[in-house]
Amino acid sequence: MTTAIEIHGVSKRFGKVQAVDDLSFEVGAGRVTGFLGPNGAGKSTTLRMLLGLVGPDAGGGTFEGKRYEELPHPSAHVGAVLEDASFHPGRSGRNHLRVLAALGRHPAGRVDEVLAEVGLTDAAGRRVKGYSMGMRQRLAIAAALLGDPDVLILDEPTNGLDPPGIRWVRDLLRSQAARGRAVLVSSHLLSEVAQSVDDVVVIAHGKLRGSGPLEQVLGGSDGPVTQVRSAEDERLAGLLRDRGLTVDAAGSGALLVRGAPPELVGSVAAEHSVALVELVAAARSLEEAFFELTEVPA
Amino acid sequence: MSALLSAELLKLRTTRTFAALAGVAVGISLLITVLVGILTEPTQDEVLRDVFANDVSFLFILILAIVGITGEWRHRTITSSLLAAPDRVRFLAAKTLAFAAAGVFLSLLISLSVGAIGLAIMTIRDLPTPELSEWLALVGRSAAVATLLGAFGVCVGALVRNQVVAVVGVLASGFVVEVTLLGLVPDVGRFGPVLALPGGINNIDDDPELLAPGVAALAMLGWITVTYVAGALLLRRRDLD
């Protein structure tokens, strides 16, 4: 896998808040990487440091070894959509892109091409203040595509989009990766990106919680999970813990036993004559694994 | 640099702010010219100052420049600008040059409009008109003032990114602080960048309280240099979060 983006030991503090703490990860070319974490986890700050908009206290990010500012033609190499993509309200969508094309030294003809690509041709002459949230998001994506970049960075790109818009973004991510581009997409909602990402980087409180292929990171590393219910749940929990198993309350009086199949839990209960009311294999969802990694209660 | 400058000029052309404020500036200048031309009877010595020196572009280009750069913060368009062109010092330089150029354009537009209307009124009323060389010198000085104030406004906006604070602050420093200093401590007041130095550059009456045009222009360049360097340093350090 060719590494397109490398973040190494990056840290940033805002006053008393450690927004990002010694974060390192890589993003491969031709893959969609989900950058996941709850709100306030440090995702946007990390992306802004990668793009040279925020100065890191330590570490940094590079694109094929070069910092964003060092790239000879940055917007032709990296296209970015940031969470608060903003526009002059009195400028038309087309003129917004014309300005960015001039700044980035892209051919003026690209403006109409990307407008067509994001489905904004008909609205291109209207002033941006009349655009819906979804249209603004499409315009921001058009701006990112202006330079036909090798790397796409999208910060919460589905915010404000309706279901067809979300599907459109998913298809866009996959099509860009299929063309060999590296796509890094941040989201606080796993469900919005789970269908379209190959890899994930999970952070919480500014720290890395896991990175790698989606199933490897969020598929669970603690083996099978069993849900068990008994009239003597406290005694049973103690017996299972004595066997070195992790036991959590699953609500409604049930216990969630991690690292043990139902057969093992059942045999422990039988061995100590504990009557069971329920004994089932519990499937842990990606969402649950994500919440565990990020320490957000499910 | 030319790409950045083209982009900044395109920004100016693609919103209504510049056209609207430029229109108001031209309108005010013409209104003063028409009123003075119709209601007074200037002598040969007075006609250039009274009828033809009504270019208010300096004030409007100063406000436009401040609005232009602080608007990047207000509308958060500075993020997309710096993503496309990450060198912040060059970005500021391009914006400074763009508003200097806009100052020349606006000043020439007003000077030519005022000149044409003033000449027509004076001719119709059979009153004296200024020497062509005197008028051309006036046009040149007005253009120089607008150029310098356009650049200065950008530098001020780079230092004070709140649009209202920057505009009100500059106007207050010009019309209150500078005027007060000129009255109380003229040796200090004549170095004020909003009214005193532009007045010196455009000093038709050889007012002894003001600096000579060349010295005033140099002092104005000094203000621009200092504020540009400070603004660029601040812009480089600022996080766009």
Side-chain angles (χ1 to χ4, degrees), chain A residues 93-111:
Chain A
R94 178 178 279 113
N95 280 337
H96 173 74
L97 295 179
R98 284 177 65 207
V99 166
L100 294 182
L103 278 169
R105 290 176 286 142
H106 306 305
R110 278 293 290 161
V111 170

Side-chain angles (χ1 to χ4, degrees), chain B residues 21-100:
Chain B
L21 276 176
V24 172
V26 172
I28 290 174
S29 297
L30 286 179
L31 181 66
I32 296 170
T33 302
V34 169
L35 290 176
V36 173
I38 291 173
L39 300 175
T40 63
E41 290 194 0
T43 63
Q44 181 70 50
D45 289 342
E46 296 166 340
V47 69
L48 182 69
R49 182 195 60 210
D50 291 356
V51 181
F52 291 85
N54 297 317
D55 180 357
V56 295
S57 63
F58 77 99
L59 189 59
F60 281 84
I61 195 64
L62 178 62
I63 293 170
L64 266 170
I66 294 172
V67 168
I69 186 162
T70 53
E72 295 266 8
W73 294 100
R74 183 179 167 203
H75 302 300
R76 301 178 76 93
T77 49
I78 193 160
T79 303
S80 50
S81 293
L82 291 181
L83 280 175
D87 189 326
R88 299 183 185 195
V89 176
R90 284 164 63 92
F91 164 78
L92 185 60
K95 201 171 267 300
T96 304
L97 288 175
F99 276 94

Side-chain angles (χ1 to χ4, degrees), chain B residues 62-240:
Chain B
L62 178 62
I63 293 170
L64 266 170
I66 294 172
V67 168
I69 186 162
T70 53
E72 295 266 8
W73 294 100
R74 183 179 167 203
H75 302 300
R76 301 178 76 93
T77 49
I78 193 160
T79 303
S80 50
S81 293
L82 291 181
L83 280 175
D87 189 326
R88 299 183 185 195
V89 176
R90 284 164 63 92
F91 164 78
L92 185 60
K95 201 171 267 300
T96 304
L97 288 175
F99 276 94
V104 174
F105 171 79
L106 183 58
S107 177
L108 288 179
L109 179 66
I110 291 176
S111 289
L112 292 175
S113 306
V114 165
I117 295 293
L119 186 65
I121 294 172
M122 291 298 104
T123 306
I124 290 167
R125 294 188 66 202
D126 202 20
L127 291 170
T129 55
E131 296 292 327
L132 179 63
S133 59
E134 288 177 339
W135 180 74
L136 286 175
L138 174 70
V139 171
R141 287 179 181 190
S142 298
V145 167
T147 305
L148 293 169
L149 281 178
F152 180 65
V154 171
C155 298
V156 169
L159 287 170
V160 185
R161 68 184 190 184
N162 182 297
Q163 200 164 74
V164 176
V165 172
V167 171
V168 172
V170 156
L171 294 179
S173 73
F175 290 95
V176 178
V177 179
E178 282 187 30
V179 170
T180 306
L181 284 175
L182 268 174
L184 298 176
V185 199
D187 284 345
V188 176
R190 69 182 56 154
F191 286 93
V194 180
L195 290 181
L197 289 176
I201 296 169
N202 220 345
N203 194 353
I204 298 174
D205 299 330
D206 295 325
D207 184 343
E209 276 200 351
L210 300 172
L211 292 173
V215 181
L218 281 175
M220 196 67 216
L221 281 173
W223 272 104
I224 292 167
T225 305
V226 169
T227 49
Y228 176 83
V229 170
L233 288 173
L234 196 60
L235 189 57
R236 283 183 69 171
R237 286 180 46 206
R238 263 182 182 150
D239 285 338
L240 299 176

Side-chain angles (χ1 to χ4, degrees), chain A residues 12 14 48 51-56 68-69 74-75 78 80-82 84 86-92 95-96 98-100 102-105 127, chain B residues 3-4 6-8 10-17 71-72 75-88 91 237-241:
Chain A
K12 180 69 180 179
F14 293 111
R48 284 173 181 271
L51 294 167
L53 298 170
V54 168
Y68 186 79
E69 312 88 279
S75 56
V78 181
V81 177
L82 295 178
D84 61 346
S86 294
F87 314 92
H88 192 294
R91 195 171 281 138
S92 70
N95 280 337
H96 173 74
R98 284 177 65 207
V99 166
L100 294 182
L103 278 169
R105 290 176 286 142
R127 288 196 279 170
Chain B
L4 290 181
S6 302
E8 290 302 329
L10 187 58
K11 284 182 190 176
L12 270 173
R13 297 201 307 271
T14 51
T15 64
R16 294 179 182 176
T17 313
E72 295 266 8
H75 302 300
R76 301 178 76 93
T77 49
I78 193 160
T79 303
S80 50
S81 293
L82 291 181
L83 280 175
D87 189 326
R88 299 183 185 195
F91 164 78
R237 286 180 46 206
R238 263 182 182 150
D239 285 338
L240 299 176
D241 49 2

Side-chain angles (χ1 to χ4, degrees), chain A residues 16-283:
Chain A
K16 291 179 179 174
V17 178
Q18 187 69 47
V20 180
D21 189 4
D22 195 22
L23 183 63
S24 300
F25 64 88
E26 293 180 354
V27 174
R31 298 179 74 79
V32 179
T33 301
F35 188 31
L36 307 174
N39 286 328
K43 302 184 298 295
S44 295
T45 301
T46 302
L47 297 183
R48 284 173 181 271
M49 285 192 281
L50 179 62
L51 294 167
L53 298 170
V54 168
D57 297 333
T62 55
F63 300 89
E64 294 174 6
K66 288 195 174 79
R67 288 190 299 120
Y68 186 79
E69 312 88 279
E70 294 169 347
L71 292 169
H73 199 175
S75 56
H77 189 75
V78 181
V81 177
L82 295 178
E83 193 179 7
D84 61 346
S86 294
F87 314 92
H88 192 294
R91 195 171 281 138
S92 70
R94 178 178 279 113
N95 280 337
H96 173 74
L97 295 179
R98 284 177 65 207
V99 166
L100 294 182
L103 278 169
R105 290 176 286 142
H106 306 305
R110 278 293 290 161
V111 170
D112 284 329
E113 287 175 20
V114 293
L115 280 168
E117 206 170 334
V118 302
L120 277 182
T121 302
D122 291 343
R126 281 166 49 192
R127 288 196 279 170
V128 174
K129 70 178 177 185
Y131 280 20
S132 67
M133 186 83 158
M135 291 166 81
R136 286 172 188 237
Q137 200 68 320
R138 283 172 185 262
L139 183 59
I141 291 172
L145 296 175
L146 261 180
D148 203 13
D150 301 324
V151 176
L152 261 184
I153 294 174
L154 303 105
D155 192 7
E156 307 272 4
T158 53
N159 272 359
L161 293 184
D162 53 11
I166 292 171
R167 169 176 266 186
W168 176 78
V169 169
R170 282 182 187 148
D171 292 344
L172 176 82
L173 301 181
R174 293 306 330 165
S175 67
Q176 296 293 317
R179 291 165 70 179
R181 292 168 172 171
V183 181
L184 178 61
V185 53
S186 86
S187 180
H188 63 282
L189 294 172
L190 174 63
S191 57
E192 289 203 343
V193 294
Q195 294 173 37
S196 43
V197 299
D198 302 301
D199 303 316
V200 290
V201 174
V202 183
I203 68 167
H205 306 297
K207 290 188 175 181
L208 184 69
R209 296 302 169 95
S211 68
L214 176 70
E215 291 300 329
Q216 184 184 313
V217 176
L218 295 176
S221 57
D222 44 4
V225 181
T226 299
Q227 183 167 305
V228 61
R229 195 189 305 268
S230 163
E232 299 177 87
D233 59 328
E234 284 187 19
R235 180 169 164 241
L236 179 60
L239 293 168
L240 292 167
R241 288 192 183 108
D242 289 345
R243 294 288 185 99
L245 300 171
T246 304
V247 182
D248 296 319
S252 310
L255 301 173
L256 215 53
V257 187
R258 301 187 190 287
E263 294 84 355
L264 178 58
V265 175
S267 67
V268 171
E271 205 176 298
H272 295 87
S273 303
V274 176
L276 300 182
V277 179
E278 181 189 5
L279 180 67
V280 292

